[in-house]
Amino acid sequence: MIVTTTLSGEGRTISEYRGIVSAAQVMVMPGGNKGVQRGWQAGVDGVTEILLQQAVSLGADAIVGVRYEPFGMNICATGTAVRLI
């Protein structure tokens, strides 16, 4: 499945909008720069997995316009589940 921050699938046409997908997860931020990077990446990976599960349940084959936002110790993500040609 394609997951992209752009509003389209590169070289593909959106044939159907299936719905908005969203997720939130608490990030664990150990000390130090490397720990913060690992915490952020784990948070992104976690919310992306939730977005993917939601998109599959909607019958989508891509998620476009994905946006990741930190909110305190949480990371939130939203996107649009679509079908591509």
Side-chain angles (χ1 to χ4, degrees), residues 11-67:
R12 309 272 303 270
T13 302
I14 294 173
S15 64
E16 186 178 359
Y17 291 89
R18 304 297 292 184
I20 302 295
V21 291
S22 62
Q25 182 170 322
V26 176
M27 291 185 292
V28 177
M29 296 294 198
N33 289 338
K34 287 183 181 179
V36 170
Q37 177 61 38
R38 282 193 299 270
W40 172 259
Q41 189 60 55
V44 168
D45 292 346
V47 293
T48 300
E49 183 58 37
I50 295 167
L51 294 180
L52 288 167
Q53 291 170 6
Q54 291 176 10
V56 166
S57 73
L58 292 171
D61 55 14
I63 307 170
V64 298
V66 176
R67 184 171 181 159

